[in-house]
Amino acid sequence: MRSSYFLQSAMAVDINGLPQAILVTRANVSDRSGALAMFSLASQNLELVQHVMVDGGYTGNDFADQVKLILNAKTTVAKRNELHMFTVLPQRWMVERSWSWLDRCRRLWKNCERALNSKVDCKNYYFMYNLL
């Protein structure tokens, strides 16, 4: 989840970092609730998903059970075991690479969009722009 002023985004990406589902919510929605809402809204697009990797903020059996219920997928948490050691976690880089692609777009970086629909449209447009 990324938050900015009054909006925050949840994004599900594939192995290549390409978005499969994007949801923009108000900032008062928790990360877990936003991710579960994104999974439930995009469940038809994500019906072939068998494995969901999340970061340490999504730990807990209740989140994994909800993902299993919505997507029928297994949940794995990618988190660091040693606090002060830097190690590259390939699973985390998939999503972080996608966020960095969006951060290159000045319109999203400056947060000109205040409406939910226009922010989602801009994100979709910039992902298509990156593909070309």
Side-chain angles (χ1 to χ4, degrees):
M1 285 281 215
R2 288 270 173 113
S3 64
S4 57
Y5 295 112
F6 305 111
L7 303 176
Q8 65 182 9
S9 301
M11 181 168 41
V13 298
D14 62 4
I15 293 174
N16 297 322
L18 300 175
Q20 301 302 310
I22 297 175
L23 178 70
V24 177
T25 61
R26 299 278 177 212
N28 61 353
V29 176
S30 69
D31 291 350
R32 289 179 182 214
S33 300
L36 291 174
M38 176 190 61
F39 288 144
S40 61
L41 289 173
S43 61
Q44 290 180 343
N45 295 339
L46 303 173
E47 64 186 11
L48 298 177
V49 173
Q50 299 174 356
H51 199 89
V52 175
M53 288 186 234
V54 295
D55 66 358
Y58 299 94
T59 57
N61 290 333
D62 55 340
F63 182 78
D65 292 341
Q66 290 292 325
V67 171
K68 181 74 173 173
L69 182 68
I70 295 169
L71 296 178
N72 195 21
K74 180 183 170 189
T75 303
T76 302
V77 178
K79 63 179 182 177
R80 298 184 305 179
N81 293 335
E82 299 173 9
L83 186 59
H84 298 291
M85 296 285 292
F86 176 77
T87 57
V88 175
L89 300 173
Q91 299 89 359
R92 296 278 316 261
W93 283 100
M94 291 178 216
V95 176
E96 293 301 325
R97 175 180 50 202
S98 302
W99 286 122
S100 68
W101 288 343
L102 287 178
D103 286 343
R104 290 189 309 175
C105 304
R106 187 169 186 261
R107 186 171 180 183
L108 294 175
W109 180 68
K110 288 288 189 181
N111 196 26
C112 299
E113 306 303 322
R114 298 284 186 204
L116 291 172
N117 293 338
S118 61
K119 186 122 180 163
V120 172
D121 290 341
C122 284
K123 286 182 188 251
N124 290 332
Y125 170 76
Y126 286 119
F127 269 116
M128 287 189 290
Y129 175 78
N130 282 330
L131 287 174
L132 299 176

